[in-house]
Amino acid sequence: GAVVSQHPSRVICKSGTSVKIECRSLDFQATTMFWYRQFPKQSLMLMATSNEGSKATYEQGVEKDKFLINHASLTLSTLTVTSAHPEDSSFYICSVSFPSVSYNEQFFGPGTRLTVL
Amino acid sequence: SQQGEEDPQALSIQEGENATMNCSYKTSINNLQWYRQNSGRGLVHLILIRSNEREKHSGRLRVTLDTSKKSSSLLITASRAADTASYFCATDAGQAGTALIFGKGTTLSVSS
């Protein structure tokens, strides 16, 4: 399967700062990537769909001006949490869509744990 | 958005026992997938079952799908301590390349 990396794996920042998280597809070109958020002891919630060369599509309730997504190349999507606050502390996971002939196969990155103090 | 509930939310068993987790969803689906997540880690894909399939096996895993009841079950046989993790079902309803919608998950604890 495809290899997806995320960087950093863990970040601690002060309230009010911005944090950028990178998601890379290492071995194939991905036109579509997804960003999920997971709070402690909860499931993954889709935040946005990142499309190469176009604006991201955000889920209802996700502030696009706070969570900036850039998918400038076929192997890299970035999520920037702007003016982070403690309530943004979460586990952020990206996935890469690899539409095969018969089903929607996705590969997940290892996740980034964000802690905002 | 989330599809629905997973049942039970938490399950504790002894090594060697079987573990059964259930997942319900709300909308029509294309495929249903099961993932495992060890504490604080990324997701590991376990198995996919298509909407026109009723049962699928992979090693110690058995997945069933009942589209009339909009439910799926994951059975882990002869469980091991290493199976301790959270298990999520995920569905997709659209074209290939659409996002997955996750259930709330079951936390499985297997004690030796």
Side-chain angles (χ1 to χ4, degrees), chain A residues 32 34 36 38 41-46 49 59 91 93 97 99-100 102-106 108-111 113, chain B residues 1-2 30-31 33 35 37 40-43 45 48 50 88 92 95-105:
Chain A
T32 303
F34 303 100
Y36 296 84
Q38 184 180 31
K41 299 190 185 302
Q42 294 188 25
S43 186
L44 282 78
M45 297 291 289
L46 178 67
T49 301
E59 293 298 297
F91 194 53
I93 306 175
S97 175
S100 66
S102 58
Y103 64 92
N104 182 14
E105 185 168 8
Q106 294 192 20
F108 286 82
R113 184 161 304 282
Chain B
S1 61
Q2 286 185 297
N30 201 25
N31 305 292
Q33 306 182 49
Y35 287 85
Q37 184 182 37
R41 307 290 291 275
L43 293 171
H45 182 262
L48 175 145
R50 302 175 196 177
F88 298 93
D92 73 82
Q95 305 276 341
T98 56
L100 297 179
I101 307 299
F102 285 83
K104 293 185 178 180

Side-chain angles (χ1 to χ4, degrees), chain A residues 43-55:
Chain A
S43 186
L44 282 78
M45 297 291 289
L46 178 67
M47 297 177 68
T49 301
S50 170
N51 300 296
E52 188 269 336
S54 64
K55 291 183 179 180

Side-chain angles (χ1 to χ4, degrees), chain B residues 31-66:
Chain B
N31 305 292
L32 187 143
Q33 306 182 49
W34 284 89
Y35 287 85
R36 185 181 87 182
Q37 184 182 37
N38 286 54
S39 181
R41 307 290 291 275
L43 293 171
V44 175
H45 182 262
L46 295 177
I47 196 167
L48 175 145
I49 187 165
R50 302 175 196 177
S51 59
N52 62 354
E53 296 178 312
R54 292 296 166 258
E55 188 171 313
K56 205 161 183 180
H57 296 254
S58 176
R60 294 185 295 115
L61 306 180
R62 173 177 167 256
V63 169
T64 63
L65 179 64
D66 187 335

Side-chain angles (χ1 to χ4, degrees), chain A residues 48-113:
Chain A
T49 301
S50 170
N51 300 296
E52 188 269 336
S54 64
K55 291 183 179 180
T57 304
Y58 291 81
E59 293 298 297
Q60 191 173 12
V62 178
E63 300 173 57
K64 62 180 181 180
D65 294 329
K66 181 170 181 62
F67 298 98
L68 301 178
I69 292 174
N70 185 291
H71 193 159
S73 79
L74 289 171
T75 58
L76 174 64
S77 175
T78 61
L79 168 68
T80 301
V81 183
T82 62
S83 186
H85 290 283
E87 57 266 29
D88 298 322
S89 298
S90 188
F91 194 53
Y92 292 87
I93 306 175
C94 69
S95 75
V96 172
S97 175
F98 187 31
S100 66
V101 174
S102 58
Y103 64 92
N104 182 14
E105 185 168 8
Q106 294 192 20
F107 299 93
F108 286 82
T112 296
R113 184 161 304 282

